[in-house]
Amino acid sequence: MEHRDKVRLLEADRRYVWHPFTQMKDYAERDPVLIERAEGVFLYDADGKAYYDTNSSWWVNVHGHAHPRIREAVNRQMAKMDHVMFAGLTHAPGIELAERLTALTPDGLTKVFYSDNGSTAVEVALKMSFQYWQQTGCPDKTTFAYVEHSYHGDTIGAVSVGGVDQYHSVFRPLLFGAHKVPSPDPRGRQDGDAEAAAAEALEAVRRLFEASAGEIAALIVEPMIQAAGGMILHPASYVRGLRELCTQYGVHLIADEVAVGFGRTGRMFACEHAGISPDFLCLSKGLTAGMLPLSVTMTTAGIYDAFYDDYAKLKTFTHGHSFTGNPLACAVALESLRIFEEEGVLEQAAAAASHLQRAAARLAADPGVAHLRGLGMVAAFDLYRDRDSGERYPWEERIGFRVYEEGLQQGLFLRPLGDTIYFWLPLCTTAAQIDDILGRTEKVLQRMSR
């Protein structure tokens, strides 16, 4: 890109654009990275410098950027149809994607409702669960339960069942009340025993249900990894325990796999680690390989049947979006699923994931690295000023932002969560690229310790 074009664009960005999750004053004297193109696991800025996309562009990219089969799928669909409304009309990509998803997801999820993003997928599940109970003789079941440190999106309903105060506290006056249960976070235990932490967290859910199940419509959880809350990993036993408790006490289980679905954890869907089927499954991000906005809320025939009646009974689920079931996005999602099947993506990613988890262990040699953890193509650790003494960085030092800036110098696009540093790698990342990413990260950590 010509220098004058770069300057003009960045000036216009500063003048007109409000970026998400960003204190814009941070960029009064610095520029955001102007990305001109992306390919594979790399982002390229306007000067041609390459950066590893270590967070898959906010956890969405699956097969790498600019995948040729995805581009072809867009072109094929554009030649037929761009967008039509999905109420009273239907189309082949939407039908075929729904059919394919019901075959791939855990048993019993046979109904597919489309929306636009992860937040709206969660909103749909909350509203469906609420309306289901109203229409099945349980009008008192009007509240929800959520897990401490959870994150389910930024719309009001999703925030109401979110547990990350950094993102949510300012909006509390706008939200509906919900029941918070403890996170199964093993980092709070001296022994770090993940199974014991899960058992304690499950006991808290049991106590809540014993006292209040008659008023709780659903419990929502991010299976296996609480992502935005700090990359908190929990064992499969926790997910199984939630399923058992929800079944026992008559509470819906909503599995929010917006981030963890589509191979991130080493399985196509995170619920597979626990061998369970939720009552609702929310999917987005990797659904379209990270190329176009699309989400689904999947549920069971039993829940669907509570809405299926004569119009005069007023049981219709009156919810929808202008771009519900967008044909382009559905076509891309179908092609992504074909890539998974035809190119053996999960098998290849399994080898890369094993390498990531083994190779990342070397980061523990740094005295500032604590709680190294990982699953599938995800790895994370917490940054301490001194791990042995337990001294943390004061939040005012913004250690995560310093890591981000130093990462750019090392050709890494890192996006820390406070002082939690993580990798959320595209499934196509190779072992050699993983080694390179970790080597560059070690240089970042060395700079932080100076």
Side-chain angles (χ1 to χ4, degrees):
M1 181 182 293
E2 293 288 340
H3 179 71
R4 63 178 180 273
D5 294 330
K6 174 185 172 182
V7 170
R8 178 186 62 80
L9 285 169
L10 289 172
E11 287 177 350
D13 183 275
R14 185 173 287 109
R15 187 174 300 119
Y16 302 118
V17 178
W18 193 343
H19 291 272
F21 286 91
T22 300
Q23 173 47 259
M24 296 305 296
K25 191 173 181 180
D26 287 343
Y27 292 91
E29 303 298 332
R30 61 164 67 85
D31 292 320
V33 180
L34 178 57
I35 298 299
E36 188 173 27
R37 67 185 182 90
E39 185 173 354
V41 298
F42 291 102
L43 309 174
Y44 297 87
D45 70 15
D47 297 320
K49 182 177 179 178
Y51 306 85
Y52 279 105
D53 188 0
T54 67
N55 67 17
S56 297
S57 288
W58 241 343
W59 319 341
V60 303
N61 193 276
V62 174
H63 306 301
H65 294 279
H67 195 289
R69 289 185 57 171
I70 299 293
R71 287 202 303 262
E72 291 169 8
V74 172
N75 291 336
R76 286 196 304 270
Q77 184 57 41
M78 277 297 294
K80 297 178 180 179
M81 181 200 319
D82 43 19
H83 179 70
V84 296
M85 67 183 293
F86 211 56
L89 300 175
T90 193
H91 49 71
I95 297 167
E96 292 169 4
L97 178 58
E99 183 179 34
R100 186 73 182 119
L101 286 171
T102 59
L104 286 173
T105 51
D107 290 344
L109 298 169
T110 60
K111 298 297 179 180
V112 177
F113 192 97
Y114 290 110
S115 55
D116 304 344
N117 57 65
S119 299
T120 60
V122 168
E123 295 280 344
V124 168
L126 297 174
K127 291 175 72 174
M128 281 183 176
S129 177
F130 175 90
Q131 190 173 342
Y132 170 88
W133 294 115
Q134 298 303 299
Q135 295 175 178
T136 55
C138 300
D140 293 334
K141 293 174 78 68
T142 60
T143 63
F144 296 89
Y146 67 95
V147 182
E148 179 187 22
H149 306 313
S150 60
Y151 176 88
H152 300 290
D154 293 327
T155 51
I156 292 300
V159 173
S160 295
V161 292
V164 185
D165 283 345
Q166 177 184 355
Y167 305 144
H168 301 151
S169 59
V170 70
F171 301 111
R172 289 298 172 201
L174 301 177
L175 310 180
F176 58 73
H179 301 274
K180 179 171 68 175
V181 296
S183 169
D185 187 350
R187 294 176 299 173
R189 296 179 57 90
Q190 189 170 3
D191 59 9
D193 188 329
E195 291 290 347
E200 289 178 0
L202 286 170
E203 183 56 32
V205 175
R206 179 184 297 279
R207 291 195 299 270
L208 171 64
F209 284 1
E210 286 177 348
S212 305
E215 67 182 57
I216 299 174
L219 180 145
I220 184 168
V221 65
E222 301 160 88
M224 304 307 294
I225 304 176
Q226 290 183 272
M231 296 296 159
I232 302 168
L233 274 64
H234 52 253
S237 60
Y238 178 70
V239 182
R240 280 194 297 273
L242 290 180
R243 174 69 280 178
E244 292 167 3
L245 288 169
C246 286
T247 300
Q248 179 181 350
Y249 288 94
V251 173
H252 289 148
L253 178 63
I254 302 172
D256 176 358
E257 293 213 24
V258 168
V260 296
F262 300 100
R264 297 296 186 187
T265 67
R267 303 286 182 91
M268 192 64 166
F269 301 104
C271 283
E272 294 176 23
H273 289 277
I276 65 102
S277 293
D279 300 292
F280 297 93
L281 178 65
C282 302
L283 302 172
S284 190
K285 292 189 183 290
L287 174 60
T288 62
M291 303 302 174
L292 288 171
L294 182 70
S295 66
V296 299
T297 304
M298 301 184 65
T299 192
T300 66
I303 290 172
Y304 174 86
D305 287 345
F307 296 78
Y308 189 87
D309 210 332
D310 295 333
Y311 179 80
K313 298 290 185 64
L314 301 179
K315 292 184 178 181
T316 303
F317 185 57
T318 52
H319 182 102
H321 301 268
S322 300
F323 288 95
T324 290
N326 173 259
L328 280 172
C330 290
V332 166
L334 274 168
E335 189 63 25
S336 175
L337 294 179
R338 294 187 190 104
I339 292 169
F340 267 104
E341 181 178 0
E342 295 168 14
E343 299 186 8
V345 170
L346 288 181
E347 293 77 11
Q348 295 177 38
S354 294
H355 184 78
L356 171 64
Q357 302 307 328
R358 289 194 306 271
R362 75 196 211 204
L363 297 177
D366 189 291
V369 170
H371 307 302
L372 188 66
R373 54 201 182 272
L375 180 67
M377 291 297 277
V378 180
F381 58 89
D382 302 322
L383 203 58
Y384 281 60
R385 190 186 296 278
D386 187 286
R387 176 183 61 207
D388 294 336
S389 68
E391 182 184 1
R392 307 298 296 264
Y393 285 93
W395 69 268
E396 296 89 348
E397 288 194 27
R398 302 184 67 186
I399 187 64
F401 192 67
R402 288 170 53 197
V403 166
Y404 164 75
E405 292 191 302
E406 184 58 35
L408 294 177
Q409 298 302 312
Q410 300 297 332
L412 299 173
F413 184 69
L414 296 168
R415 179 84 183 185
L417 296 160
D419 55 9
T420 295
I421 316 302
Y422 71 91
F423 310 107
W424 193 285
L425 302 180
L427 303 188
C428 61
T429 311
T430 66
Q433 290 168 337
I434 289 169
D435 288 337
D436 194 17
I437 289 167
L438 293 173
R440 294 172 188 237
T441 302
E442 288 176 314
K443 293 179 182 177
V444 171
L445 295 176
Q446 291 166 8
R447 296 281 295 180
M448 292 301 101
S449 62
R450 291 182 182 178

